[in-house]
Amino acid sequence: MSRSFDPVTIARELIRCPSVTPDEGGALAYIEHVLTGVGFTVERVVFKEPGSPDVENLYARIGDQSPHLVFAGHTDVVPPGNADAWSYQPFGGEIAGGMLYGRGAVDMKGAIAAFMAATCDYIQTKGKPKGSISFLITGDEEGVAVNGTIKLLKWAAERNITFSHCLLGEPTNVDTLGDTIKIGRRGSLNGTLIVDGTQGHVAYPDRADNPIRGLIKLIDHLLAEPLDQGTDHFDPSNLEFTSVDVGNQTVNVIPAQARARFNIRFNDRHTQESLKELLRVRCITAAKGRVRWWMEFEPSNSDVFVTKPGPFVDLVVSAVESTTGRKPALSTSGGTSDARFIKNYCPVVEFGLLGQTMHQVDERTAVSELEQLARIYRTILDTYFAGI
């Protein structure tokens, strides 16, 4: 890797930008400065939505042909919390004991720095690619995610920009760099199970109808059998109740209503609609016409997806293995990411640093792993534009 495009130097500069969601913090300005210096055309786009903060995003591209490889990521970070609890200042970008400390070091300014270094080095040594390279960088992935990637992708589509493949730099590795690539993500669905009763005095239960009894019966039935047994690329879907509430202010009143919130992380055996129907049928069976119940579901943009193994997945696996000596597992575990939006436009694979310290005090990455990640990305670029 060329000294002039050192991933560690770039990562330190990005960490020093206090880009806590939704603030740009100077991070996008720095990326624009570096990329325009090697020939990229850069556009910074602000998206707005009533009830949410304005968010600035960045799209950069070099080349105008296919294939078109896009690197996606986010420069926004979660708040650092109490800065005094950190060993080093959260936006200091300090190096100690071979580790780079700072908010975003892992999630995910480190990966952005590695890809910037790899791309700039590629262009410096080989010239413009026989195709196109672009950066799709958002500023609200850690927030409500309404003014970032989802709108930037639509913005690109309106300009007839199409992508061949995407590499998303989320921290995917579990224990060692090179152990895991994410080829998919589970869907996520939030809902509330509500049971109506009849309020009354606890001393006269015959004059009331306690909704808690019905709620317990429905919850027990919903959890009695698994939602599925898993699929080729996914673990079994899971339903978890996360709160139960009756809003009761006193102990001698039978409540009028009981509510239970839940979340389902689901695999590719289901859609949001098929899950809703499955829950409805189970509740009807359990209620037997004697429990007054209904469900409310929150809007969700977190659908399940999988990028099935093929040439692009094989290319990334090969680059990781040739650089680290490890053949990565193809995983679909974890929460959601912006890949849930990108998958509607092109195949997407996720690979970045170790995720062990993301969102924690003293978030950090090994300098050697950051440098190794840049070499992996450089190998991907070399192979990709040599022909998949």
Side-chain angles (χ1 to χ4, degrees):
M1 196 67 59
S2 170
R3 286 189 176 183
S4 60
F5 298 114
D6 172 36
V8 179
T9 299
I10 297 173
R12 297 182 76 184
E13 291 298 325
L14 287 173
I15 289 170
R16 288 166 180 161
C17 299
S19 52
V20 176
T21 308
D23 294 334
E24 184 267 336
L28 298 183
Y30 175 72
I31 293 173
E32 179 180 14
H33 170 73
V34 173
L35 294 183
T36 55
V38 295
F40 275 82
T41 298
V42 178
E43 296 183 73
R44 290 164 65 179
V45 189
V46 176
F47 296 117
K48 304 180 179 183
E49 184 83 19
S52 61
D54 296 353
V55 174
E56 187 172 6
N57 306 271
L58 178 145
Y59 177 72
R61 179 171 179 171
I62 189 168
D64 55 9
Q65 302 294 321
S66 295
H68 185 178
L69 177 64
V70 57
F71 179 83
H74 61 91
T75 53
D76 65 311
V77 297
V78 297
N82 181 11
D84 292 336
W86 288 64
S87 300
Y88 305 92
Q89 285 299 303
F91 297 111
E94 299 296 332
I95 295 175
M99 305 296 292
L100 171 61
Y101 287 79
R103 177 60 82 225
V106 170
D107 189 14
M108 57 169 286
K109 291 180 176 180
I112 292 174
F115 202 84
M116 287 173 65
T119 302
C120 292
D121 187 68
Y122 178 92
I123 293 169
Q124 186 181 62
T125 57
K126 292 194 171 184
K128 289 186 178 182
K130 295 178 180 179
S132 302
I133 303 171
S134 62
F135 285 75
L136 195 84
I137 309 298
T138 183
D140 79 339
E141 194 273 349
E142 300 290 6
V144 294
V146 299
N147 288 322
T149 296
I150 190 169
K151 288 187 177 177
L152 193 55
L153 287 163
K154 291 179 180 177
W155 174 90
E158 289 168 356
R159 286 154 181 77
N160 296 316
I161 298 171
T162 58
F163 307 110
S164 304
H165 299 90
C166 177
L167 184 61
L168 179 59
E170 288 288 350
T172 58
N173 295 283
V174 180
D175 297 310
T176 308
L177 185 70
D179 64 21
T180 306
I181 290 173
K182 293 284 179 69
I183 61 167
R185 294 279 187 165
R186 295 175 296 174
S188 178
L189 180 64
N190 293 312
T192 304
L193 174 62
I194 304 160
V195 174
D196 278 336
T198 302
Q199 189 181 59
H201 197 295
V202 296
Y204 302 94
D206 56 309
R207 302 175 184 174
D209 177 16
N210 195 331
I212 296 175
R213 298 176 186 272
L215 185 66
I216 291 173
K217 181 182 293 185
L218 297 189
I219 289 175
D220 182 65
H221 193 77
L222 288 173
L223 296 178
E225 296 290 336
L227 297 172
D228 56 68
Q229 301 299 322
T231 67
D232 289 344
H233 298 291
F234 290 88
D235 291 333
S237 303
N238 65 293
L239 184 160
E240 300 296 335
F241 282 92
T242 56
S243 72
V244 177
D245 184 51
V246 295
N248 207 341
Q249 300 298 312
T250 183
V251 298
N252 63 351
V253 174
I254 292 172
Q257 189 180 87
R259 305 166 68 93
R261 298 187 67 191
F262 60 88
N263 175 266
I264 303 175
R265 297 301 169 103
F266 60 94
N267 59 37
D268 55 347
R269 192 174 294 278
H270 306 278
T271 65
Q272 292 187 35
E273 293 307 314
S274 71
L275 271 177
K276 293 175 184 178
E277 178 62 15
L278 175 60
L279 298 185
R280 189 185 72 84
V281 170
R282 288 192 178 186
C283 284
I284 289 173
T285 301
K288 296 179 180 178
R290 295 193 290 269
V291 179
R292 292 176 287 161
W293 66 274
W294 79 94
M295 287 186 182
E296 294 177 349
F297 293 94
E298 298 177 17
S300 174
N301 55 19
S302 299
D303 290 317
V304 62
F305 79 94
V306 61
T307 301
K308 294 183 178 179
F312 183 60
V313 173
D314 292 345
L315 185 156
V316 177
V317 168
S318 178
V320 173
E321 188 173 15
S322 65
T323 306
T324 67
R326 304 178 190 91
K327 186 171 184 178
L330 303 181
S331 173
T332 57
S333 64
T336 60
S337 73
D338 276 355
R340 69 188 189 273
F341 308 130
I342 299 167
K343 54 88 176 174
N344 294 324
Y345 295 83
C346 69
V348 54
V349 168
E350 301 179 51
F351 184 75
L353 292 164
L354 270 69
Q356 293 178 346
T357 63
M358 59 182 175
H359 293 204
Q360 295 183 8
V361 168
D362 283 348
E363 181 178 348
R364 61 198 179 274
T365 183
V367 168
S368 60
E369 292 180 349
L370 185 55
E371 293 171 336
Q372 197 171 36
L373 181 62
R375 290 195 294 272
I376 292 170
Y377 288 163
R378 175 58 198 271
T379 300
I380 290 172
L381 289 169
D382 286 339
T383 309
Y384 189 87
F385 292 105
I388 295 179

